[in-house]
Amino acid sequence: MTNNLAVNLRTLCSYYSSISQVTKLAKINRQQFNKYLGGQSSPSLSSLRKINDFFGLEEDELFLPPEEFKQLVNHKPRVAQPDTGAQPLQELFNSAMQSSDKSQEILKPYHGLYHDYYCSPSNPGKVLRALISVYEKDNVTLTKSIERLPYKDKDKTRHFNVRYHGFVQAIRDRLVFTDIETLTLNNWGQRIYYPANRTRIDLLPGLTMAISGGLDHRPFCSHAVLEKIDDGVSMKQALQQCSLFSIDSPEIRDDIKEKLHLESYNDKTFMTANG
């Protein structure tokens, strides 16, 4: 287990310009972190929690077999972060138009948990149900999203999580979501939804445009639907309901299937770009 931890930590550090950058950004003691990298010791529970929070990992994912872990993080050269201590979204906020007070008033009723549905280009014939939390911080509406995906070459009951952070703006009379994959910064996406036309928020239809998670990394566009989750459902319960589903699955509501145009599903249901 300690050896897996050391190898996986080195994999994560390869996404950064130096180990010093990792320890500075994560606020971790450099000498102690070197011992973790060398397999000489394992972090305490508090240190492990800090490492997991920084890299956006679940508690047990750092101890996965290295090859399985590489598959999880989609091991590729990482665009180095500036050594300023800023979180990945800071630069995004600095370069993007910030939401106004009026926009925040419009967005307040939409705070909460949602299931997000769209057709998966890397899994033909499947619909992805992901989890999105919409909340406000420092007068900006932010999002945390999790895609819970089954391992393709493993027991289909086992899943791994891909996390995104982002923000929401009310532009004219539409809701615009922009997010970035937390761990590698390799995957960006943007979605535009119709706002609710009645007091009770249920389904928000729209379009999503992002980069496919497949090996070809094709840009794609798909119909998308946000489904508001009841307040009595916890985030853990809502996440357990997330996965990939067949387009005819009874797990997906008929009105969601209709808004995703699944009744006429074919290779044109979503659009992908060719290089």
Side-chain angles (χ1 to χ4, degrees):
M1 296 287 283
T2 301
N3 185 57
N4 286 354
L5 171 72
V7 175
N8 293 339
L9 281 176
R10 290 196 292 269
T11 295
L12 292 170
C13 289
S14 70
Y15 288 124
Y16 291 80
S17 61
S18 67
I19 295 172
S20 296
Q21 185 190 32
V22 172
T23 55
K24 183 176 181 179
L25 293 175
K27 297 181 173 62
I28 301 171
N29 180 276
R30 171 66 186 272
Q31 290 183 331
Q32 195 62 42
F33 192 72
N34 282 340
K35 293 181 180 179
Y36 306 154
L37 292 175
Q40 299 167 346
S41 67
S42 295
S44 65
L45 288 177
S46 60
S47 297
L48 184 62
R49 188 176 298 113
K50 183 182 292 187
I51 293 171
N52 284 332
D53 288 345
F54 175 71
F55 288 113
L57 298 171
E58 294 287 354
E59 292 181 2
D60 59 344
E61 288 175 342
L62 261 178
F63 297 94
L64 289 171
E67 289 304 316
E68 190 172 320
F69 186 77
K70 285 183 180 181
Q71 180 184 352
L72 172 67
V73 301
N74 192 20
H75 183 49
K76 294 202 178 283
R78 181 189 177 95
V79 178
Q81 296 178 354
D83 198 7
T84 62
Q87 295 299 314
L89 282 177
Q90 188 61 53
E91 290 187 22
L92 188 60
F93 288 144
N94 289 341
S95 62
M97 177 181 67
Q98 295 302 296
S99 298
S100 65
D101 290 340
K102 182 178 180 181
S103 177
Q104 292 309 307
E105 287 301 315
I106 295 173
L107 292 171
K108 275 185 179 179
Y110 296 95
H111 294 174
L113 290 178
Y114 295 83
H115 279 139
D116 178 30
Y117 297 82
Y118 65 87
C119 293
S120 171
S122 54
N123 297 276
K126 301 286 186 180
V127 173
L128 177 66
R129 177 196 282 161
L131 178 65
I132 298 181
S133 173
V134 181
Y135 63 100
E136 183 179 346
K137 182 178 181 181
D138 299 330
N139 202 37
V140 177
T141 298
L142 302 176
T143 64
K144 290 183 180 179
S145 307
I146 303 177
E147 294 177 348
R148 183 171 177 265
L149 303 169
Y151 285 102
K152 290 185 176 180
D153 56 347
K154 300 285 183 180
D155 181 354
K156 293 298 188 288
T157 62
R158 296 190 60 211
H159 291 72
F160 64 93
N161 295 335
V162 181
R163 293 173 175 77
Y164 299 80
H165 286 180
F167 63 92
V168 189
Q169 293 173 287
I171 300 179
R172 302 238 176 175
D173 56 349
R174 298 293 178 261
L175 308 181
V176 180
F177 287 59
T178 302
D179 55 22
I180 180 173
E181 194 270 313
T182 304
L183 183 60
T184 68
L185 306 185
N186 281 334
N187 205 343
W188 292 64
Q190 191 164 62
R191 287 161 287 184
I192 302 176
Y193 296 102
Y194 285 97
N197 57 8
R198 55 187 184 275
T199 303
R200 183 178 180 274
I201 299 172
D202 183 18
L203 299 181
L204 304 177
L207 292 174
T208 182
M209 182 176 68
I211 301 172
S212 167
L215 296 177
D216 53 9
H217 293 166
R218 285 189 183 184
F220 77 95
C221 182
S222 168
H223 293 284
V225 177
L226 283 185
E227 177 190 22
K228 187 73 166 64
I229 298 173
D230 292 339
D231 292 338
V233 178
S234 69
M235 180 175 288
K236 182 177 180 180
Q237 290 171 325
L239 180 59
Q240 288 175 339
Q241 297 170 7
C242 295
S243 188
L244 283 170
F245 299 90
S246 299
I247 59 174
D248 58 354
S249 171
E251 295 280 342
I252 303 175
R253 288 168 42 176
D254 288 341
D255 50 354
I256 294 177
K257 292 177 181 178
E258 181 180 354
K259 293 182 184 301
L260 291 175
H261 300 274
L262 298 185
E263 73 282 354
S264 57
Y265 181 91
N266 55 41
D267 59 357
K268 300 298 183 184
T269 300
F270 50 82
M271 182 170 62
T272 58
N274 295 318

